[in-house]
Amino acid sequence: MHFRKRNTWPLHLMILPGFILVLIYSYGPLAGMVIAFQKFVPARGLFGHQQWVGWANFDYALQFPGTLRVVWNTLYIASMKIVAGLLVPVVVALMLNEVIHAKLKRTLQTIVYLPHFLSWVLLSGILIDILSPGYGLVNAILRQIGVDPIYFLGDNRWFPYTLVVSDVWKEFGFGTIVYLASITSINPQLYEAAVVDGANRWRQTVHITLPGMRMIIVLMTVLSLGNVLNAGFEQVFNLYSPQVYESGDIIDTFVYRVGLLDNQFGFATAIGLFKSVVSFTMISIAYYLAYRIANYRIF
């Protein structure tokens, strides 16, 4: 035991900087949750002589006209992202698995994975140019086939779906790599036996590949439930405008606007705390289901 501790302390020391950052940036701000129960005045300090109002901020949040709309937008957009973010990587992984040429396969994997490393600040500028109704590439193509230009980022009918499609385009490469890794763990002798029995590639996919991916698909599905109230602040913040508040305003952007721009600190903190409690509950349920269904455990 002494030998094991002596040889693992450098590994624990490597974890120390990350542990300190988590304490500072993740656990330290939890003290600010008291603002949800105060009529907060910044000049008095966090633990100064603030006026405690109990549940008044939560009552105001429930009665505020835009709260239900914002919660619905968040659930609607996040749910579509979860479903599309699970289906698209599975389909792409199955398609890439059929590519026989190894060099071409690696090239395609790199291409689909590349957008994952780009920030939404950069991608939003690209999307604004591509989707512009006046000079954007997409609307130029639509004009060529006789379709009127579509204001993807300024029309409430199109904006939620634009968010979902652009998010899937950015992130599906990561999921594809995960599912490809699960495919490589399938016993090749199963495919050999299927060929002997006369199964074509489609039947091999349906009866061998998909069942072999079942556990990782279930795991990824269950774990994604924890993101049901995370519709993507960075993406929405960089793409939305007042014209699409009705369909694109989510909890995170709403909290940012009423808290930092309108200085309603208690109100914004109350909504943020509500979201955190619901997200924590969903994540707890998701990990329990992951353990029960897929035997997934962190510790």
Side-chain angles (χ1 to χ4, degrees):
M1 181 64 67
H2 176 71
F3 176 79
R4 183 182 300 174
K5 289 183 178 179
R6 185 178 62 187
N7 284 274
T8 58
W9 73 264
L11 300 178
H12 291 83
L13 190 62
M14 291 173 60
I15 298 175
L16 184 60
F19 178 71
I20 293 174
L21 289 175
V22 169
L23 287 179
I24 294 174
Y25 293 105
S26 296
Y27 287 93
L30 291 178
M33 289 192 301
V34 298
I35 297 176
F37 307 95
Q38 298 173 342
K39 185 177 180 181
F40 184 72
V41 178
R44 298 176 182 174
L46 181 61
F47 298 104
H49 299 287
Q50 301 288 349
Q51 179 183 352
W52 293 86
V53 296
W55 298 97
N57 288 319
F58 294 91
D59 292 337
Y60 179 61
L62 292 175
Q63 299 173 8
F64 192 79
T67 302
L68 293 179
R69 172 179 55 81
V70 168
V71 173
W72 164 251
N73 290 342
T74 305
L75 290 172
Y76 184 59
I77 295 172
S79 299
M80 288 194 296
K81 285 184 177 182
I82 290 173
V83 174
L86 289 170
L87 292 179
V88 173
V90 171
V91 174
V92 175
L94 292 175
M95 294 173 64
L96 286 177
N97 187 55
E98 299 301 319
V99 178
I100 300 177
H101 197 283
K103 188 174 182 179
L104 175 61
K105 187 175 182 178
R106 288 195 299 268
T107 301
L108 293 175
Q109 289 179 11
T110 303
I111 292 174
V112 300
Y113 195 39
L114 182 61
H116 175 75
F117 296 99
L118 302 178
S119 70
W120 275 114
V121 177
L122 175 61
L123 287 180
S124 62
I126 297 175
L127 289 173
I128 289 172
D129 287 337
I130 293 177
L131 301 177
S132 170
Y135 55 85
L137 176 63
V138 173
N139 279 300
I141 295 175
L142 292 178
R143 289 192 194 93
Q144 293 297 321
I145 60 177
V147 178
D148 294 333
I150 300 174
Y151 200 176
F152 291 98
L153 300 178
D155 191 331
N156 284 299
R157 295 173 300 173
W158 290 96
F159 186 71
Y161 307 108
T162 303
L163 292 177
V164 174
V165 172
S166 58
D167 180 75
V168 171
W169 168 69
K170 181 180 184 297
E171 300 294 345
F172 82 93
F174 176 80
T176 299
I177 300 300
V178 173
Y179 293 122
L180 279 174
S182 69
I183 292 175
T184 59
S185 64
I186 299 175
N187 190 346
Q189 294 181 353
L190 296 175
Y191 293 101
E192 296 173 1
V195 172
V196 172
D197 291 337
N200 55 24
R201 296 299 299 177
W202 171 250
R203 291 189 175 274
Q204 292 177 37
T205 299
V206 173
H207 297 288
I208 299 177
T209 307
L210 283 176
M213 299 169 62
R214 182 177 63 87
M215 293 305 296
I216 189 64
I217 292 175
V218 171
L219 176 61
M220 297 295 285
T221 302
V222 170
L223 294 182
S224 65
L225 294 177
N227 294 319
V228 70
L229 287 183
N230 291 323
F233 169 78
E234 188 178 359
Q235 179 197 19
V236 177
F237 180 75
N238 284 284
L239 289 176
Y240 84 150
S241 61
Q243 293 96 315
V244 290
Y245 280 174
E246 181 181 346
S247 65
D249 198 16
I250 60 174
I251 293 177
D252 291 332
T253 55
F254 182 68
V255 168
Y256 165 80
R257 210 167 53 253
V258 301
L260 296 182
L261 300 184
D262 297 341
N263 297 325
Q264 301 184 56
F265 301 106
F267 175 40
T269 306
I271 297 177
L273 180 58
F274 164 76
K275 176 199 168 185
S276 299
V277 171
V278 174
S279 297
F280 176 77
T281 303
M282 293 299 297
I283 290 174
S284 300
I285 295 174
Y287 275 109
Y288 174 76
L289 293 175
Y291 169 68
R292 299 294 297 179
I293 298 175
N295 197 29
Y296 174 84
R297 299 183 66 178
I298 299 178
F299 303 107

